[in-house]
Amino acid sequence: MLTRTSRVFFEELRWWYREASGIARSDALKVEAGAITFVHRGGGSLDLHVHLHVIAADGVWRCATDGSTPVFVATRPPTKGDLEGVLARVAERVAKAIERAGDRRCDGDGEGARNEALEGCRRAASARGEYGAVRDGRAPGAGE
């Protein structure tokens, strides 16, 4: 499920960046996004706290479908509302994947506990973290 969740997150993020670029894909034109995902398995207290760290390029690469001549096209950074929309689609798709996989390990019929867990993930993901831009090779706040 961790691999599936990571893949679904990237697919939804890629969809957002493609839409934000305003570039229409065609048989002759490819539009791709790029990101790096790191699985972090522990929390600050050495506890099990599996979560993903993602670094995404704020833009897309436009190139011919044969992969030649890629050109980076910057997009606006996603707003908190944009990220919440991506996260809502991820939560919906992951919930469906859990149901398809037959994961019914929750108490009772599982539905309430599963929805509560997904809502908790959504709240945590949209409430924490910092967003910044790297400029001149320095991270935000570096050297200050």
Side-chain angles (χ1 to χ4, degrees):
M1 287 312 298
L2 180 60
T3 299
R4 181 170 286 167
T5 300
S6 177
R7 187 186 76 231
V8 166
F9 180 76
F10 176 71
E11 288 171 356
E12 292 297 334
L13 193 63
R14 177 177 59 187
W15 176 87
W16 185 89
Y17 275 112
R18 285 174 168 173
E19 291 295 309
S21 76
I23 302 170
R25 292 183 295 159
S26 69
D27 290 340
L29 184 65
K30 222 175 146 179
V31 180
E32 270 305 332
I36 298 171
T37 302
F38 173 73
V39 178
H40 194 161
R41 299 182 186 277
S45 302
L46 299 178
D47 55 336
L48 181 62
H49 178 73
V50 179
H51 58 283
L52 305 172
H53 291 258
V54 179
I55 298 173
D58 278 338
V60 295
W61 282 265
R62 179 187 67 218
C63 61
T65 53
D66 65 3
S68 65
T69 63
V71 175
F72 184 75
V73 178
T75 62
R76 65 176 176 81
T79 65
K80 185 175 181 179
D82 294 330
L83 293 173
E84 286 173 343
V86 167
L87 190 56
R89 291 189 303 276
V90 170
E92 182 179 330
R93 288 181 60 188
V94 169
K96 287 178 182 176
I98 290 169
E99 289 177 15
R100 279 192 309 269
D103 190 350
R104 303 279 184 203
R105 291 178 283 194
C106 299
D107 295 331
D109 66 1
E111 192 64 32
R114 188 167 36 256
N115 287 341
E116 184 178 326
L118 287 170
E119 176 60 20
C121 290
R122 187 202 63 76
R123 280 194 316 270
S126 64
R128 300 183 69 176
E130 295 181 21
Y131 307 99
V134 176
R135 289 182 174 61
D136 300 326
R138 297 184 325 160
E144 297 177 356

